[in-house]
Structure formats: C-alpha cells, structure tokens
C-alpha cells in the first residue's frame, strides 16, 4: 500500500480575525435567548461558524486588490465588463444581468418565465428558488431520483433528475405549462449531491424535444464539475474549468449566487442565451435591483466576483475545498455518526432522524441537534428538515420531508484542520450522549421562510 499523502491548503494566511469561545454557561444562556434557533444567535457568541457557506468565504489578496479598483460610475462600470467577461469565459452564457445575490436573479427569472398555473419541475427544491416560483404563480414538482431522499444510499450522483418522473409530469400537465426545468448543481437540500454530465445531457435532450427550457441553478456548479471529474467515467483528464463550461452549455441560462462558488461576500447574476429573454430581464432588473450594469452591487463587488470566478475554477482551490469537507466527514464516519452519504461538496449533513430516533419529527430533531451542538462547543450549524420545509399551502400542516438534517457548512478558505477536529469531536461526544435528549416546541412561527426566525422552547 502506498503511504497516504495529505494535501494542504493552497494558500497561506496574511490577515487573521480573532474568535472567542464563551463558557458553557454563557452558551446555554445564549442558545435559550436565541429561541433555540441558531439563526438568531449573535455572531460574536459563536466560536466556529458553520451556519452557511453563503457569503462567508475568505477573499484572496488578488480579490481585495480588485476592491480598490472599483469603478463606481452609475452606468457602464468597467468592473461590470470584467464580470461579464468572467461569466462568458467560465460559464459560457451569452448574456449576464448582475443582481444583489442569487434570489434577486431567481425573482427576475421567475417573473419573466412563469405564468400563473404553470408547473416547474426541479431536482429537489431550494427554499428561495421555490418561493419565487410560487410567488410568480407556479407550482414546484420534485423530480429528483429516489436515492436523493435516502441518506444511506451511496449513489455517486444523487442530484440526478429522474427522467421518468419528469416525463410523467410533463405528460400530465402539458409541455406548454412547463416554462422550464429547474436543475440545481450539487443539490444543497439533498446533501450537496452532484448531478452527472450524462444526466444533464439526457435532461437537455428530453427538453429539447418538448420545447422546454433548462435553467441551471449554478450556485455550486464548480463543485459539481469537480465531482464529475473525480466520479464520472471519462472526465478525469479534463480540467474543472472545461467541465464547468460543458455542463453549463447544456442549459439555456442560469441563476447564480456569487456568495458560494464565486468566493465573494455578496453578489449574484442571471445569465441567459436568448436575446429576447435577456431584454426582458434587463428591463426588470432596473425595477428591483438597479441598472443592468450594476444590479444592486457596487463596482468593487463586481470586480471581486469577477476575480473570484477565476479563482474558483483553479484545480488546487477546488480540490482543497472539497478535501476539507471530506476530512470532516471521514472522521464522523469513523466515529459511527450517521451522516448523509456520499460526502457532499459544501457541507456535512448529520442525519438527525437516526441521531435522535426518540424525537418525533414534529418535535424538531434537527433543530434540537443544532442547538445541542452550539451549547457543547460553540459550533453553529443549521437545521435542514421540517422547519426549513415549511407548511403545505393548501392543508396548512407541516411539510414532512424525508430528510431531517443538520448541516455543517464549510466556508471557503476560512477554517483550518484544527477547527475541523474541534467540530467532529463535539459531534462524536453528543452522539455518545444521544439518549438523554428531548425535542423542542415551536413558540413563534413567521409566515415566510420560517426557519430564519422561528423560536422554540425545550420540551
Ligand atoms: C444560496 C442559494 C441560493 C440563493 O442565493 P442567495 O445569494 O442566498 O440569494 C439559491 N440556490 C442555491 C442552491 C443556493 O445555495
């Protein structure tokens, strides 16, 4: 057996930001004050923040240098043209409209493509994506493969679309009521699971025959490209950059949150190949975001994102990014902790149903586990289960998703291996003490995206 050789982060640290660990008593108090919702904790009270990888990345010296080159002209900023170049070069779409973040792009896309009564199939929902589809009058339908809902299945591409489900839906509602298929790369809600190039191509072929567009949620498409390279036969010799471009070429446009793959703290864009749709998007962005050459971003933000896109497709970067997720996941697997398999691209997902089998789903096992983790070690995670799934708009009951997960999401280029060790050791200890834990009761429930602001009490 060849000796195992480690990779190391392909950067060195030039600036540090101190973080502090509160005492256990202070953490217990802080969690109660936050209503057992990690979204309501103060960041100062958090030691290792794995709430999200959204907008939490560390920018490089090259990006920070770009921030000083912001052209803050109202119209026609040079940084817009840099961003447009970066999107064309690396994602390959013809037109790009900047937006303040991903949901800005989703809003505009949904408004221009969806008519009331339309149906939008997708490979599992994402919270803001589905809400914008619904607010535009559409109904979302999950057409992901069944394996995606099974946290123990080790299918290498659990983000794949089930062509049979897609076909049945289109036959039932009629292709004219399906404005597009919403395909997400590395499906967040399934555990950061990729979609294969072969599946994407099959979706493309099917949709072409029916005259249905394919719109990609490209938020984590670089990570998806990396998984294609290492998991899908025939792609290991191609660069992540090449794979990304080929993958995007199988869609008609995309929405993008630059706060993920693109290594910035704020920003996003909508890309479209069709001239007329682009024209509509450019009209609408002025109403909701800003002029079509800044879309809610400062010039410097667009420059940082243009540079972040360049860095995001570098092999060293993406290998270390996903390598760190794997490092954390491997340790948890060795400790016997139930996690979603295979290990995904941006996060480890703890399977709260198997972690706390004694807690019924409507007593919020994942919400409970996230709270316990914070109290134990100051690590902040988030719930991705029944709270995130919201209520059925017709019956008013909770949606009961099959997956009841706690997400440990890794910001890019922010934490070290020692932070990962503190994290898995804490989870492992909670798992040893799992029998003693009881669930929560919801005492405040907001109307939209309730997981952000809901409050709970211990049962
Ligand atoms: C974050 C995210 C979005 C929304 O983007 P924001 O920048 O947070 O508005 C959409 N889709 C996916 C898959 C995401 O992860």
């Amino acid at each position: 057996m060849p000796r195992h050789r480690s990779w190391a982060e392909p950067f060195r640290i030039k600036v540090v930001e101190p973080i502090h660990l509160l005492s256990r008593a202070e953490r217990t108090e802080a969690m109660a004050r936050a209503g057992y919702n990690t979204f309501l904790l103060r960041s100062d009270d958090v030691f290792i923040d794995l709430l999200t990888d959204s907008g939490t990345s560390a920018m490089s010296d090259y990006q920070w240098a770009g921030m000083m080159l912001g052209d803050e002209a109202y119209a026609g900023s040079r940084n817009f043209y840099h961003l447009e170049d970066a999107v064309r070069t690396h994602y390959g779409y013809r037109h790009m409209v900047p937006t303040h973040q991903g949901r800005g792009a989703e809003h505009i896309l949904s408004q221009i493509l969806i008519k009331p009564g339309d149906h939008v199939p997708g490979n599992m929902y994402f919270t803001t994506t589905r809400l914008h589809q619904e607010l535009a009058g559409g109904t979302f339908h999950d057409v992901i493969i069944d394996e995606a809902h099974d946290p123990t299945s080790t299918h290498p591409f659990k983000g794949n679309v089930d062509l049979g489900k897609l076909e049945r839906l289109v036959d039932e509602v009629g292709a004219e009521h399906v404005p597009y298929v919403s395909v997400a790369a590395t499906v967040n809600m399934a555990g950061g699971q990729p979609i294969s190039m072969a599946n994407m191509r099959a979706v493309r072929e099917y949709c072409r025959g029916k005259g249905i567009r394919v719109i990609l949620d490209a938020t984590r498409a670089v990570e998806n490209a990396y998984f294609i390279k290492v998991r899908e036969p025939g792609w290991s010799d191609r660069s992540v950059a090449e794979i990304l471009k080929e993958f995007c070429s199988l869609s008609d446009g995309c929405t993008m949150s630059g706060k993920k793959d693109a290594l910035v703290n704020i920003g996003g864009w909508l890309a479209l190949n069709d001239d007329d749709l682009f024209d509509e998007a450019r009209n609408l962005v002025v109403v909701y975001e800003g002029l079509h050459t800044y879309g809610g971003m400062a010039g410097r933000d667009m420059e940082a994102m243009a540079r972040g896109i360049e860095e995001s497709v570098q092999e060293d970067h993406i290998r270390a990014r996903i390598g760190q997720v794997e490092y954390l996941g491997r340790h948890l697997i060795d400790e016997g902790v139930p996690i979603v398999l295979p290990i995904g691209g941006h996060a480890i997902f703890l399977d709260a149903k198997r972690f706390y089998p004694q807690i019924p789903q409507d007593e919020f096992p994942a919400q409970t586990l996230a709270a316990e983790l914070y109290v134990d070690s100051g690590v902040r995670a988030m719930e991705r289960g029944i709270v995130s799934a919201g209520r059925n708009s017709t019956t008013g009951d909770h949606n009961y998703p099959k997956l009841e997960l706690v997400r440990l999401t890794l910001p890019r280029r922010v934490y070290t291996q020692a932070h990962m060790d503190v994290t898995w050791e804490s989870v492992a200890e909670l798992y040893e003490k799992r029998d003693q834990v009881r669930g929560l009761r919801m005492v405040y429930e907001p109307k939209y995206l309730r997981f952000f602001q809901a409050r709970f009490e211990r049962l």
Side-chain angles (χ1 to χ4, degrees), residues 101-103 106 126 128-129 188 217 219-220 257 259-260:
Q101 59 185 87
R103 68 198 70 181
E106 292 168 350
F126 184 75
T128 57
T129 318
N188 194 341
D217 182 339
T219 297
R220 292 189 184 78
S257 170
K259 303 172 69 173
K260 323 289 170 59

Side-chain angles (χ1 to χ4, degrees), residues 344-458:
H346 65 304
I348 296 299
F349 293 76
L350 307 175
D351 184 350
K353 276 189 184 169
R354 282 185 290 153
F355 205 105
Y356 290 144
Q358 73 274 25
I359 303 181
Q361 197 169 13
D362 60 5
E363 293 175 10
F364 315 109
Q367 191 79 26
T368 305
L369 178 52
E372 293 292 327
L373 179 63
Y374 171 75
V375 171
D376 186 71
S377 56
V379 172
R380 170 155 71 171
M382 81 151 84
E383 193 258 14
R384 274 294 179 236
I386 186 167
V387 184
S388 298
R391 288 185 186 273
N392 182 303
S393 50
T394 326
T395 67
D397 192 11
H398 296 298
N399 290 317
Y400 286 85
K402 288 204 184 107
L403 298 180
E404 178 71 23
L405 308 175
V406 171
R407 193 179 78 181
L408 303 168
T409 334
L410 300 195
R412 296 163 184 79
R413 309 192 290 204
V414 171
Y415 292 117
T416 64
Q417 196 153 306
H419 294 110
M420 298 303 104
D421 291 340
V422 166
T423 302
W424 70 256
E425 287 166 13
S426 172
V427 175
E429 190 158 330
L430 291 175
Y431 191 56
E432 281 164 16
K433 296 190 291 199
R434 61 191 178 275
D435 297 345
Q436 303 152 26
V437 176
R438 299 191 57 196
L440 298 167
R441 180 161 57 96
M442 202 187 310
V443 293
Y444 167 69
E445 180 174 357
K447 191 161 165 219
Y448 297 114
L449 302 177
R450 63 182 184 175
F451 58 94
F452 282 129
Q453 288 160 344
R455 298 183 69 86
F456 302 83
E457 279 169 8
R458 282 192 189 282

Side-chain angles (χ1 to χ4, degrees), residues 143-196:
V143 295
I144 203 164
I145 57 173
D146 287 338
E147 285 87 339
H149 295 284
D150 174 3
T152 63
S153 158
T154 55
H155 191 298
F157 290 102
K158 287 164 90 171
N160 280 356
V161 171
D162 184 326
L163 270 294
K165 288 185 195 172
L166 177 59
E167 243 182 284
R168 277 195 296 282
L169 177 74
V170 173
D171 288 348
E172 191 187 312
V173 303
E176 66 282 13
H177 297 298
V178 180
Y180 61 96
V181 178
S182 176
V183 180
T186 31
V187 181
N188 194 341
M189 303 301 267
Q193 304 294 331
I195 161 166
S196 71

